[in-house]
Amino acid sequence: MPVFPVLRRCLLILGAGWTGAASANDVASAAHAGSMSFVGGASAPAAEATDAQPAPPRSEPVSTSAVTSDFSALHAFMRESTDARGYLGAVTLILRDGRIVDFQSYGQRDLARREPMRKDAIFRIYSMSKTVASAAVMLLVEQGRVRLDDPISRYLPELAQRQVTTAGDGGKPALRPAASEITVRHLLTHTAGFAAGLKGDDAALAAMQRNDPHGASDLRGFVERLSHAPLAADPGTRFGYDGAAIEVLARMVEVVSGQPFDAFLRERIFQPLGMRDTGFEVPVAQRGRVVDITTMGDDGRLRIADGPSARKPGAALNAYPSGAGGLYSTACDYARFAQMLLDGGAIAGRLGDSACDDGLAAEQRALENSPQGEDARLPTHLQPSFPRRRESRDFSAISQVRHSRERGLRFTSAAAEHPATSGLLARKALDSRVRGNDEVRERRDLPASHQHRRLLRAETVALMLSNQLTMLDPPVHQYSPNEGFGFGGSVVIDIGRDGRPGSLGRFGWPGAASTTYAIDPAQHRVAIALLQHLPRSDVKADLPRISRNFYRLVDETMNQRSTSNAKATP
């Protein structure tokens, strides 16, 4: 399927998401995998406006069993959404304070509607892969092997000295040198200037299509093909959501680590977190758990979507390990990853539900009571050409700010101007909402296993969950005036404009095939909804997007519980 029509269709339906976060290039990566369309999605946290409101007082936490949440309204809505006229099925999972408080499956797994949906069903998560890929990059950043403001050409020389399309004589496209180099930060924040289907992108988009990077057989080939296409804008001057940026970062991870991207993710993220069902291809023995992926036919009936992963569920979505949209996963696996981010990089033990906890490998359960500290992380085999630096500049200033806060000192204006700390300083009043940056909460609430083992440093996660678009005016992404963008997901910075649900600082991102997640530091919870349908904007009878109502019902239920808990606290 050609990319440009898909991008257009996706852009037309973005407004249906609960936070508007959705991907034009969720679509681009999946389109080349063979099955594409788009769904409005999830979004969310670290508030980054300089006028962030102070965190409201909150009551002391009580046992999750003290007051039982009534999710009946959410359950009724999901059952109705997956009835004979709706989606095939769904899996939803809600975590509060690191414990599962609701975990349900609905409907069926297959188009024939004969096999009940299982809680351990495997979904194509498409652009929810981007958050995982961003975490992989940040593992290298916090080690000092990569710096956020390094030019990407330091690692991938073929991307040096980029050209930008511009209007030439007679309106014909012309080229000029880019005003600056593309940096790692630009790639993480989708501000590198790649064609993204925005106004004025036609010439750059046409050049990218001619070079067809998505048709490459590996990430090296992707970058090589991309290097022949000009940019649509100068780096750092606009947000343009695209999959190319994340594929470039995935290739950078390969070059710096000396490992294939899929092996790096497996050893550095999936194995430590116990994400045993997440990967770029599903083992043949487990493919019976993969959910059928549907789209709406012209006749108004659901049909299997086009593409190899639809015809052969569990097959790789791309020829290369796509960090932009190539992962399969389950609700339990992604819950572990999201909870790690909510816990400021700490690795969770059991989540409180046998459906997830019984799936942990024996060695993962053993590690739960093994205080090995940060050195418990699996090693990465690094190329000697990219040695560890003494300390990453991205964290030196941020550490100074953290230590100053611990000593009760005021933030200085000089620190506030440092690019690595601007997000945290703008969120000073919200620091207590980010669990990884709240030492008191970390000591009091997290199990011992959380405090001993961690995948990422708290400072790393704080950067990921902070709005990184402060160089733009307004500092928001292209799909919502209420949201900025961190590293790997959107960040709610204004909750008063359109009535959409969400706390200030909520973080998350959707996938093209109706998957969505949100991390809410203010409420200490994670919400995940996994479905498998590729929407079409050109079909009137397509299924309604459910993400906004899903998050609204989660918020209403959990807020009622919080009120009851506050009353129950002496």
Side-chain angles (χ1 to χ4, degrees), residues 474-550:
V476 298
H477 63 71
Q478 70 203 66
Y479 305 121
S480 171
N482 306 324
E483 296 174 358
F485 201 86
F487 296 151
S490 60
V491 180
V492 173
I493 61 174
D494 188 342
I495 59 176
R497 293 192 180 186
D498 62 2
R500 291 181 179 182
S503 303
L504 204 62
R506 182 179 285 188
F507 177 94
W509 202 244
S514 308
T515 61
T516 181
Y517 82 98
I519 299 168
D520 194 330
Q523 301 297 327
H524 318 126
R525 66 174 179 250
V526 171
I528 298 170
L530 303 179
L531 300 90
Q532 236 20 179
H533 178 75
L534 292 167
R536 291 180 58 184
S537 62
D538 58 340
V539 176
K540 293 182 179 179
D542 200 8
L543 299 176
R545 263 53 98 193
I546 71 164
S547 54
R548 182 185 294 212
N549 283 333
F550 168 72

Side-chain angles (χ1 to χ4, degrees), residues 95-395:
L95 288 151
R96 168 84 183 212
D97 289 325
R99 309 293 286 179
I100 294 174
V101 294
D102 192 63
F103 188 13
Q104 302 292 326
S105 61
Y106 306 88
Q108 288 77 40
R109 182 199 65 82
D110 60 324
L111 182 62
R113 297 186 186 266
R114 293 173 182 167
E115 299 182 29
M117 182 69 78
R118 295 166 45 168
K119 288 183 178 180
D120 67 348
I122 299 173
F123 294 79
R124 305 156 189 84
I125 62 171
Y126 289 119
S127 274
M128 285 168 57
S129 307
K130 288 181 171 69
T131 318
V132 178
S134 298
V137 172
M138 296 307 289
L139 280 167
L140 298 178
V141 170
E142 73 171 22
Q143 292 175 341
R145 267 92 184 197
V146 171
R147 287 175 175 167
L148 291 176
D149 295 313
D150 279 347
I152 190 61
S153 60
R154 179 176 190 269
Y155 313 100
L156 305 173
E158 57 268 47
L159 295 179
Q161 299 178 339
R162 308 306 300 145
Q163 298 283 303
V164 179
T165 56
T166 184
D169 295 337
K172 295 182 179 180
L175 297 177
R176 62 168 175 80
S180 65
E181 291 263 15
I182 297 173
T183 67
V184 174
R185 187 188 300 272
H186 291 148
L187 294 165
L188 284 166
T189 57
H190 299 279
T191 58
F194 294 126
L198 301 179
K199 183 178 180 181
D201 281 10
D202 291 359
L205 184 59
M208 183 178 286
Q209 290 176 327
R210 287 194 299 271
N211 287 281
D212 189 21
H214 296 281
S217 61
D218 56 21
L219 289 168
R220 178 199 293 268
F222 184 100
V223 172
E224 194 279 329
R225 294 187 184 200
L226 183 67
S227 69
H228 298 296
L231 301 178
D234 284 311
T237 61
R238 71 170 197 182
F239 182 96
Y241 186 73
D242 63 88
I246 306 303
E247 309 298 26
V248 170
L249 289 171
R251 174 58 184 159
M252 182 195 72
V253 170
E254 291 188 332
V255 170
V256 175
S257 69
Q259 292 180 283
F261 186 60
D262 53 341
F264 184 92
L265 293 186
R266 183 171 60 252
E267 293 184 15
R268 297 301 308 275
I269 296 178
F270 301 153
Q271 288 179 355
L273 290 176
M275 298 171 66
R276 65 174 189 168
D277 291 319
T278 301
F280 293 102
E281 192 170 3
V282 179
V284 174
Q286 301 299 326
R287 290 188 177 183
R289 294 162 54 197
V290 179
V291 179
D292 281 349
I293 186 167
T294 63
T295 192
M296 187 63 69
D298 294 336
D299 59 358
R301 297 182 180 180
L302 289 180
R303 62 172 177 82
I304 295 295
D306 298 326
S309 81
R311 294 188 296 268
K312 191 177 180 182
L317 299 172
N318 301 73
Y320 50 84
S322 170
L327 287 175
Y328 289 88
S329 193
T330 64
C332 287
D333 275 10
Y334 212 85
R336 292 189 180 283
F337 174 74
Q339 186 64 43
M340 178 274 297
L341 294 178
L342 181 58
D343 286 339
I347 297 176
R350 301 184 182 188
L351 299 179
D353 190 294
S354 61
C356 286
D357 294 336
D358 289 351
L360 279 177
E363 61 270 22
Q364 294 297 328
R365 290 199 299 269
L367 283 173
E368 188 174 345
N369 297 313
S370 177
Q372 300 176 40
E374 294 193 10
D375 292 335
R377 301 183 208 168
L378 291 171
T380 301
H381 307 292
L382 293 163
Q383 296 286 61
S385 55
F386 299 104
R388 180 190 293 272
R389 302 180 189 181
R390 198 171 301 165
E391 182 178 9
S392 174
R393 290 178 304 195
D394 301 303
F395 298 98

